[in-house]
Amino acid sequence: EVQLVESGGGLVQPGGSLRLSCAASGFSLSHYWMHWVRQAPGKGLVWVSRINSDGRTTSYADSVKGRFTISRDNAKNTLYLQMNSLRAEDTAVYYCARDKLPMEVWGQGTTVTVSS
Amino acid sequence: QSALTQPASVSGSVGQSITISCTGTNSLVGTYYLVSWYQHHPGKAPKLIIYDVFKRPSGVSDRFTGSKSGNTASLTISGLQAEDEADYYCCSYENSDRLSVFGRGTKVTV
């Protein structure tokens, strides 16, 4: 079964860091571009970042550029999102999504709460 | 940043048809067939239901239909069912880097 499972969320203080993981199963991550998308409480989906299949090309939304870093370890079949200098407005459920058809497979999400 | 504009809410009765619009402020919606639609039940993973404006992934009901006119894409749900009650998001790209952007979402009430 094709599956994406996010982990690494939690409570962190403003200015802190967190690394999210997205473990793929049932397929080889190396064949696909991948995305991170987030949803703040009571708000809509917002695209965060994208990485190509070999990890050499990355893109970011303006709101996270310079603070977040997307990466992947195809040998471990895992996608990552390193989040630094976290702000209250980064509080959200973070989803990873596989891209062949656009964002065709999604994980269930992991919750990040930025609060003192 | 350009944006995709959707109505905040749309409602209908079981068996009826409803249409959700998605208007782009840049030329990408109008120029290319690169609009996708996602269904999102709260607490669950979003689901791709339409891509490339009108194509349906395998397994998605043919009650979901996508179309486009000028800078506005539309999602029509026909034969509305109770399980269609969810949030729906359109998605396209902005600027030459083709960064993804979502609309603000439309809450469908049945």
Side-chain angles (χ1 to χ4, degrees), chain A residues 39 44-45 50 95 102 106-107, chain B residues 38 40 45-46 89 97-99 102:
Chain A
Q39 183 178 35
L45 299 177
R50 178 188 73 204
Y95 299 96
W106 295 65
Chain B
Y38 301 85
H40 191 203
Y89 297 87
D97 292 332
R98 290 186 53 179
L99 303 184
F102 286 93

Side-chain angles (χ1 to χ4, degrees), chain A residues 1 18-20 23 29-30 38 42 62 64 69 78 82 84 107:
Chain A
E1 181 191 2
L18 214 53
R19 188 177 83 155
L20 306 184
L29 198 70
S30 63
R38 69 184 182 184
D62 287 345
V64 306
T69 302
T78 303
Q82 177 67 43
N84 299 330

Side-chain angles (χ1 to χ4, degrees), chain A residues 31-106:
Chain A
H31 296 156
Y32 299 91
W33 291 44
M34 297 292 293
H35 298 263
W36 286 99
V37 176
R38 69 184 182 184
Q39 183 178 35
K43 303 293 186 181
L45 299 177
V46 174
W47 177 81
V48 172
S49 184
R50 178 188 73 204
I51 188 168
N52 76 333
S53 54
D54 65 11
R56 295 183 182 183
T57 303
T58 59
S59 301
Y60 300 92
D62 287 345
S63 58
V64 306
K65 198 174 296 182
R67 300 187 299 122
F68 289 13
T69 302
I70 190 172
S71 64
R72 63 196 298 157
D73 186 335
N74 287 338
K76 294 183 177 180
N77 233 27
T78 303
L79 172 74
Y80 302 102
L81 185 68
Q82 177 67 43
M83 305 186 296
N84 299 330
S85 303
L86 283 162
R87 307 166 180 167
E89 53 265 35
D90 296 318
T91 294
V93 176
Y94 285 74
Y95 299 96
C96 60
R98 185 182 89 172
D99 203 77
K100 182 175 182 179
L101 301 186
M103 298 185 217
E104 57 174 350
V105 178
W106 295 65

